[in-house]
Amino acid sequence: IGSSAFNGCSSLTSVTIPDGVTTIGSSAFNGCSSLTSVTIPDGVTTIGSSAFNGCSSLTSVTIPGSVTEIYNYAFYGCSSLTSVTIPDSVTEICYCAFSGCRSLTSVTIGNSVKYIENYAFDGCSGLTSVTIGNSVTFIDSEAFRGCSSLTRVYCKAIVPPIIVNNTFDKVSATATLYVPTGCKAAYAAATEWSKFKTIEETQF
């Protein structure tokens, strides 16, 4: 699906993407503010920059296990999106990919994601729970800034990922961090992770 293919189609309510599609181009559905749901078929590997930017009525999206890249602003401002699972095939969540998705309540990040870029989930003020896969090594600045409802962070990584002093900016100090069994001491000693007042071990 080419760049800007349906850009600004504000009356579009549904779309069926056929098998055989491999790429959803930049701004393909940008500004489709009446689009309520979309299923991305197996075979799609790339969701381009701003592909669903501003799809403010989008409540659900299925991301298949073939997707490897979710680019900048891909779902920026999808303010009605309530949950998302990022499959194990994805290795990087790019800049502002889900920023402003204020209705998101839960996010599960797959075990192949290694890097979560700046502002990836910035302003997801309804987010209460996030699960971070076991391969993440770095979470950049303000990735979860303004996630003011976040109460549970599950991080599966045995080695604490590198984070910076504002990765979880404006997240409540009462949020609980859950880490793999035997890893509590490592997280409690790690720069920035130690700011979580409550760290609990759990089996993943």
Side-chain angles (χ1 to χ4, degrees):
I1 299 177
S3 298
S4 301
F6 298 95
N7 187 6
C9 293
S10 58
S11 297
L12 184 66
T13 59
S14 65
V15 62
T16 300
I17 300 173
D19 293 338
V21 171
T22 59
T23 300
I24 300 174
S26 300
S27 300
F29 297 95
N30 179 58
C32 294
S33 55
S34 298
L35 188 63
T36 58
S37 67
V38 62
T39 298
I40 300 170
D42 276 332
V44 171
T45 60
T46 301
I47 300 175
S49 299
S50 300
F52 295 94
N53 183 3
C55 293
S56 55
S57 297
L58 189 65
T59 58
S60 66
V61 61
T62 301
I63 301 174
S66 55
V67 171
T68 59
E69 296 172 290
I70 301 175
Y71 279 100
N72 301 344
Y73 299 99
F75 295 94
Y76 181 89
C78 292
S79 54
S80 298
L81 193 63
T82 57
S83 67
V84 66
T85 298
I86 297 163
D88 287 345
S89 53
V90 174
T91 59
E92 184 174 341
I93 301 172
C94 291
Y95 182 86
C96 288
F98 294 92
S99 183
C101 296
R102 62 177 181 266
S103 295
L104 268 182
T105 58
S106 66
V107 170
T108 300
I109 297 169
N111 287 326
S112 291
V113 172
K114 296 179 180 179
Y115 179 31
I116 301 174
E117 286 196 18
N118 312 55
Y119 308 105
F121 297 94
D122 175 37
C124 295
S125 56
L127 190 64
T128 61
S129 172
V130 61
T131 299
I132 299 168
N134 58 26
S135 295
V136 169
T137 59
F138 185 66
I139 306 174
D140 216 331
S141 62
E142 300 175 297
F144 293 96
R145 183 182 69 167
C147 296
S148 53
S149 298
L150 195 60
T151 59
R152 300 181 307 281
V153 176
Y154 299 90
C155 191
K156 295 181 178 181
I158 293 174
V159 177
I162 297 169
I163 62 175
V164 295
N165 62 3
N166 55 3
T167 294
F168 290 95
D169 190 32
K170 299 180 183 177
V171 172
S172 172
T174 62
T176 299
L177 173 63
Y178 295 89
V179 302
T181 301
C183 297
K184 180 177 179 178
Y187 277 85
T191 303
E192 303 308 326
W193 287 110
S194 61
K195 290 181 179 179
F196 283 88
K197 303 299 183 185
T198 305
I199 302 176
E200 301 286 347
E201 294 184 348
T202 188
Q203 292 279 359
F204 289 111

